[in-house]
Amino acid sequence: MHDLTATGTPALANDQICIEVDAFLKEGTLTLTKGGQDLRPIHALVKFVFAHDGPWLADEVTFGGKTSDGKSVELTVDLLNDSFDGPRAGLPDPIWEVVAIAATSAGDIGITYTSP
């Protein structure tokens, strides 16, 4: 065992806590298209944030995968609206489905989240 000590009282620098949840997607089950370029994601990293006075919110999701020509790319999608108090309108349903998959995993560690 390491000889470890700690002093002080931790305090958050701001009133927001962030949890990131990995979701590994079965290849070929999702295609995202942006600017005419297709991305076949195999990984999604969903970031959930919690403000001291509010519920957990899905902040963003970063998809990693390959383009149709085999290049590895990432695509980050902002999930919160411009006032940061709710979901961004107009996002495709499959993106929210990925968030829901990640939220289920987050629930296993005590985070509760309801999809919009």
Side-chain angles (χ1 to χ4, degrees), residues 62-73:
T62 299
F63 293 97
K66 298 200 180 277
T67 62
S68 55
D69 59 1
K71 291 182 183 175
S72 294
V73 295

Side-chain angles (χ1 to χ4, degrees), residues 54-104:
W56 285 96
L57 297 170
D59 181 36
E60 68 181 27
V61 58
T62 299
F63 293 97
K66 298 200 180 277
T67 62
S68 55
D69 59 1
K71 291 182 183 175
S72 294
V73 295
E74 286 189 345
L75 172 66
T76 299
V77 178
D78 290 325
L79 300 171
L80 289 177
N81 61 25
D82 292 339
S83 59
F84 302 103
D85 62 359
R88 183 172 297 281
L91 292 178
D93 287 341
I95 290 175
W96 291 115
E97 290 174 25
V98 170
V99 171
I101 289 168
T104 299

Side-chain angles (χ1 to χ4, degrees), residues 17 29 54-55 59 79 105:
I17 298 171
T29 60
D59 181 36
L79 300 171
S105 296

